[in-house]
Amino acid sequence: MSNEELVGQHDAHSLSECAATCQKDCGFFGYNPTLKKCRTHKKAFTSGMSDENGWRYYFPESPPSDCKDLRDNGYDKSDVYDIYPYGIKSIPVKVHCNIDIMGGGWTAIQKRFNGSVSFDRNWTDYKNGFGKPEQEVWIGNDVIDQLTKENTSSLYVTITLQNGTTLYEMYDGFSVSNEAGEYQLFLAGPASGTLGDSMRSHDLSGMSFSTPDRDNDKAGYNCAFDSNKRGGWWFNACHDAFLNGQWSPARWSYPWSPTVQYGTSVKGTTMMIRRN
């Protein structure tokens, strides 16, 4: 790298802080999250960029909006990263990115593996998200809406059984509407995998989200409030697929029927999305 191309280098605690320094005479910027260092450059260059360990480069208006962006920018390790679905000047969202499965670039929107986080939550909790991406998490319906609003995302679901076997189902089309639309679920395109298409077999596509304090299903009672369910989901009347049920095995029925009938069989679940 020539000195003429480098405008400045300084400490920066976040990518957004680094990006804010890329103003006049700045063609693009580099950020190293390990060193917490920022570089601003007058013009783009290619020589040596891929050889610098830990440095990633961005144009001012193109921060990583999701895990696919991170993968495309050269990140090759499944881990927790900051993404900017609302733009570079917004607060980053911490997510777990899977870079290994089916070409990588998957953003985890749900993850469970030990029941340490209760999914018996109200509408506001599901709206804003809860848990931690490195542990158990629901990323938040507002973020899911933002990530899928272009209707160009796939959904990848996994259930790991107590015997260690991991089953999956991938939907080619997945999106969720905004809060005004009650986070309505849309599934399109073919589904494939080893779990079976349990979300569409019970007509969950088109259903609004329900929580124990917000009944949007088609049953004669609140499916999300039922003692054998107690969690937010897209219910019809009520479900053949429900990954947010009570972790207590005796109370979690039909996580993914008919393939997985009881919570006693479940060791862990994930839901991940990726732009097509």
Side-chain angles (χ1 to χ4, degrees), residues 4 58 61 64 80-81 86 111 114 124 137 139-141 154 158 173-174 181 184 200 211 239 242 263:
E4 290 78 15
Y58 308 90
E61 301 302 323
V80 174
Y81 297 99
Y86 299 98
K111 185 168 60 169
N114 62 10
T124 301
V137 69
I139 194 176
N141 289 338
S154 295
T158 72
F174 169 83
Q184 190 176 18
R200 291 194 298 185
T211 55
H239 68 89
F242 176 40

Side-chain angles (χ1 to χ4, degrees), residues 201-275:
S201 68
H202 201 60
D203 297 326
L204 297 189
S205 184
M207 293 307 304
S208 297
F209 201 81
S210 290
T211 55
D213 63 331
R214 187 78 66 91
D215 183 4
N216 289 318
D217 61 52
K218 292 184 178 181
Y221 59 96
N222 186 351
C223 294
F225 191 75
D226 185 274
S227 61
N228 290 324
K229 299 174 179 65
R230 298 292 300 187
W233 193 250
W234 301 276
F235 294 104
N236 190 323
C238 283
H239 68 89
D240 282 339
F242 176 40
L243 298 187
N244 292 344
Q246 293 189 66
W247 193 258
S248 171
R251 292 187 174 273
W252 187 6
S253 59
Y254 308 123
W256 205 272
S257 181
T259 308
V260 184
Q261 294 274 51
Y262 305 105
T264 50
S265 304
V266 177
K267 186 176 182 181
T269 70
T270 63
M271 298 174 67
M272 302 183 292
I273 56 176
R274 183 180 67 190
R275 284 179 293 113

Side-chain angles (χ1 to χ4, degrees), residues 83-105:
I83 62 170
Y84 295 78
Y86 299 98
I88 192 63
K89 296 185 184 298
S90 66
I91 297 174
V93 178
K94 287 191 177 296
V95 298
H96 188 272
C97 295
N98 188 295
I99 311 297
D100 303 309
I101 291 175
M102 299 286 285

Side-chain angles (χ1 to χ4, degrees), residues 149-209:
K149 65 194 319 176
E150 300 300 325
N151 297 314
T152 59
S153 295
S154 295
L155 171 68
Y156 192 92
V157 175
T158 72
I159 296 180
T160 300
L161 304 178
Q162 291 291 347
N163 64 10
T165 301
T166 296
L167 306 174
Y168 77 94
E169 194 73 13
M170 186 168 75
Y171 293 86
D172 283 354
F174 169 83
S175 65
V176 172
S177 72
N178 59 22
E179 185 175 20
E182 297 176 326
Y183 303 120
Q184 190 176 18
L185 170 68
F186 297 96
L187 294 170
S192 60
T194 52
L195 273 170
D197 185 3
S198 297
M199 293 186 80
R200 291 194 298 185
S201 68
H202 201 60
D203 297 326
L204 297 189
S205 184
M207 293 307 304
S208 297
F209 201 81

